[in-house]
Amino acid sequence: MGATILVADDDRAIRTVLTQALARLGHEVKTTGNAATLWRWVQEGEGDLVITDVVMPDENGLDLVPRIKKLRPDLRIIVMSAQNTLLTAVKAAERGAFDYLPKPFDLKDLMAIVQKALSAPAQAPAPAPAPAEDPEEEALPLIGRSPAMQEIYRVLARLMGTDLTVMITGESGTGKELVARALHDYGKRRGGPFVAINMAAIPRELIESELFGHEKGAFTGATMRSTGRFEQAQGGTLFLDEIGDMPLEAQTRLLRVLQEGEYTTVGGRTPIKTDVRIVAATHRDLRTLIRQGLFREDLFYRLNVVPIRLPPLRERTEDVPALVRHFLNQAAQQGLPAKTVDNAAMDRLKRYRWPGNVRELENMVQRLAALYSQEVISLDVIDTELAEANPAAAPVQEPVNEGLSAAVERHLREYFAAHKDGIPAAGLYDRILREVERPLLSLSLTATRGNQIKAAHMLGLNRNTLRKKIRDLDIQVVRGLK
């Protein structure tokens, strides 16, 4: 037997389409073009499901959602909107909507959500976090209304009321830290601190101290106690940027903290309980690093609870105009002359591949605002800027059949580029040899199915030397294989 579905939308065509589609599934449909009628039906106990638009002539549909949930907590509500921003998706989830769908929508997607809403078991509603103050549209951290961004908004909205660990992947410049900040700023921990640490920018010997802090006298130069990022982020969010660059020994300790919920400072003995939400990010392929023995598989699964992939700008070029306007408005607020971009110039920007993604676009817009006197930016200006674009900004392509020497050189160049002054901390020679040595031994043991005698012979090492290196490098060996 079908359900009774209440549809509120001031667009007659949408009401007609939904009525026909839902009727084909065997449901009874009641439609209205205003919020008042919908509210009256809900008060009278009608309907098994509500589908409502946001902008209606007499009331905002989002404002109606909490009133419906208070009166009838078990009534599922699907919110539709043509506003298509992160804020709309967050508000819908925060106020109790079962799901949010941006307009224009795929009818199959909506029918799937309807079936899910009607079949999901009833459960006690979770207490919603206190609503955040509504920011202005221009203050939103993420800009774009493309289908790719809409899906990200929907995922983020579902995560705001949780403490689930999130792994954000995407090319450099796609806005991974902005997503992490959005998860914090609109989530249940927004009253706590947001602390970020970039693994690629810290010498490997200092990473554990940076993460967990150290006691006075823990090592040479530790003249006083120092708090780590875990302690600084207590009650809030810890953002582990470029997690793929974390050394293996630090990965082991991080895994232990995630498993046990406590840690000790470097040189300390008293366990400290941790209460942080972990959000990690990387531009690297962690599964490849796992196969190479450079990233712990068990840590990957601890971090990859909810994966979010940010698309490169070339996959969402329809968002370029909105991003350009956003960055021009920011420049004007900073005191630079107000400018616009004409249609031909905008079309050229949309056709460009943007190897540096949103960050590259932002840098260009800042130059346009600061260096050009004309109020309207024309095509010739854009062509000049793109012609002078730094080819080094192109994304690094994974090499095919690349020799070992070339691969090491490429990774070293990336390593040096990650340091602003181009000079990493002392001890680089030993660190690089150690990073090469560990995957070499690990893969050799894998190739010999854990047979250390065969591995030592293949490597040209004494068996005792190999055993010592396995112990020193904390390499896991599958024993008992012939």
Side-chain angles (χ1 to χ4, degrees):
M1 183 176 178
T4 300
I5 301 177
L6 310 180
V7 176
D9 196 304
D10 61 350
D11 187 324
R12 183 185 298 273
I14 288 180
R15 296 201 302 269
T16 300
V17 168
L18 291 184
T19 298
Q20 294 173 349
L22 293 168
R24 283 196 295 269
L25 295 177
H27 302 304
E28 179 185 351
V29 185
K30 298 186 68 171
T31 67
T32 178
N34 59 73
T37 302
L38 174 61
W39 176 240
R40 177 167 54 80
W41 287 340
V42 170
Q43 285 180 307
E44 293 170 354
E46 296 193 47
D48 302 300
L49 175 69
V50 170
I51 302 176
T52 180
D53 191 17
V54 171
V55 179
M56 287 185 284
D58 55 340
E59 187 175 358
N60 185 300
L62 287 174
D63 295 335
L64 189 59
V65 172
R67 288 165 50 200
I68 294 176
K69 296 301 291 183
K70 183 176 181 180
L71 181 65
R72 296 174 59 184
D74 293 333
L75 184 61
R76 304 285 167 82
I77 306 168
I78 298 171
V79 172
M80 305 179 296
S81 175
Q83 293 177 321
N84 301 357
T85 66
L86 172 62
L87 185 58
T88 308
V90 170
K91 281 184 176 180
E94 197 172 59
R95 299 182 186 194
F98 179 79
D99 211 335
Y100 156 80
L101 201 62
K103 292 181 179 180
F105 53 81
D106 187 305
L107 198 55
K108 291 182 179 178
D109 290 342
L110 178 57
M111 295 303 105
I113 294 172
V114 166
Q115 294 297 87
K116 184 178 176 182
L118 291 172
S119 60
Q123 57 186 24
E133 292 185 8
D134 292 346
E136 295 296 327
E137 192 71 24
E138 291 297 333
L140 292 176
L142 298 168
I143 303 296
R145 303 191 178 193
S146 61
M149 292 304 294
Q150 291 304 312
E151 184 56 33
I152 289 172
Y153 297 162
R154 294 178 67 197
V155 172
L156 292 179
R158 296 187 189 109
L159 291 173
M160 295 308 179
T162 77
D163 269 338
L164 292 175
T165 302
V166 178
M167 172 69 78
I168 308 167
T169 59
E171 295 177 6
S172 294
T174 49
K176 295 186 287 294
E177 183 166 351
L178 292 179
V179 172
R181 285 190 175 275
L183 281 167
H184 175 79
D185 292 343
Y186 297 100
K188 60 191 291 187
R189 290 179 175 265
R190 56 176 162 259
F194 176 88
V195 177
I197 179 171
N198 188 321
M199 297 301 165
I202 299 173
R204 61 185 299 128
E205 64 271 16
L206 296 180
I207 281 185
E208 290 193 35
S209 174
E210 286 286 332
L211 281 173
F212 308 114
H214 63 257
E215 300 297 323
K216 179 180 179 180
F219 50 83
T220 303
T223 57
M224 63 182 67
R225 186 183 187 277
S226 175
T227 59
R229 303 303 173 89
F230 266 92
E231 187 172 347
Q232 294 167 13
Q234 191 76 353
T237 302
L238 179 60
F239 176 47
L240 304 175
D241 198 7
E242 297 304 348
I243 191 70
D245 292 278
M246 181 180 243
L248 279 161
E249 52 267 34
Q251 292 178 31
T252 300
R253 188 161 183 193
L254 175 61
L255 175 64
R256 193 174 303 123
V257 174
L258 297 181
Q259 289 173 334
E260 299 174 3
E262 61 182 29
Y263 63 95
T264 56
T265 60
V266 176
R269 295 184 178 181
T270 304
I272 301 172
K273 289 285 185 183
T274 181
D275 176 26
V276 299
R277 181 188 196 165
I278 299 292
V279 179
T282 182
H283 74 283
R284 307 181 70 178
D285 184 346
L286 293 185
R287 295 184 187 275
T288 297
L289 295 182
I290 290 170
R291 290 194 294 271
Q292 294 172 345
L294 298 175
F295 199 86
R296 294 189 61 127
E297 187 174 22
D298 43 7
L299 177 59
F300 170 77
Y301 288 115
R302 279 279 177 178
L303 295 172
N304 199 50
V305 178
V306 181
I308 297 178
R309 174 189 175 269
L310 292 189
L313 188 53
R314 62 182 173 275
E315 292 182 9
R316 57 179 188 108
T317 54
E318 60 265 55
D319 289 334
V320 168
L323 287 163
V324 170
R325 288 191 294 270
H326 173 72
F327 293 136
L328 285 174
N329 287 339
Q330 279 190 335
Q333 291 169 6
Q334 294 166 4
L336 293 171
K339 294 190 184 337
T340 58
V341 176
D342 70 24
N343 291 336
M346 192 68 79
D347 288 341
R348 179 69 182 91
L349 291 173
K350 291 172 68 176
R351 293 196 304 272
Y352 182 57
R353 295 285 292 171
W354 298 110
N357 293 296
V358 178
R359 185 181 299 124
E360 182 186 3
L361 175 61
E362 180 180 10
N363 292 341
M364 176 183 285
V365 171
Q366 289 176 341
R367 289 197 303 275
L368 295 175
L371 302 180
Y372 293 88
S373 58
Q374 55 265 55
E375 292 183 3
V376 180
I377 302 298
S378 57
L379 177 60
D380 59 327
V381 172
I382 298 300
D383 282 338
T384 299
E385 282 289 325
L386 294 180
E388 296 176 355
N390 183 3
V396 177
Q397 300 296 323
E398 287 298 321
V400 179
N401 296 327
E402 182 180 37
L404 179 60
S405 177
V408 171
E409 180 179 351
R410 175 173 60 82
H411 285 294
L412 282 172
R413 289 184 183 278
E414 293 178 6
Y415 185 80
F416 275 91
H419 294 78
K420 293 182 179 179
D421 56 4
I423 304 176
L428 179 62
Y429 182 82
D430 288 337
R431 292 203 303 274
I432 294 299
L433 288 185
R434 186 180 178 90
E435 289 190 6
V436 173
E437 187 176 42
R438 191 183 195 286
L440 173 61
L441 300 186
S442 180
L443 292 171
S444 297
L445 288 163
T446 300
T448 60
R449 302 182 66 193
N451 189 312
Q452 295 182 27
I453 296 176
K454 289 183 179 180
H457 178 74
M458 180 177 69
L459 292 164
L461 294 174
N462 179 279
R463 184 182 179 187
N464 290 333
T465 301
L466 176 60
R467 281 180 169 174
K468 183 176 186 302
K469 289 181 178 293
I470 290 172
R471 188 168 56 251
D472 292 345
L473 295 171
D474 190 26
I475 296 174
Q476 301 299 315
V477 181
V478 179
R479 304 187 183 280
L481 297 177
K482 300 295 184 184

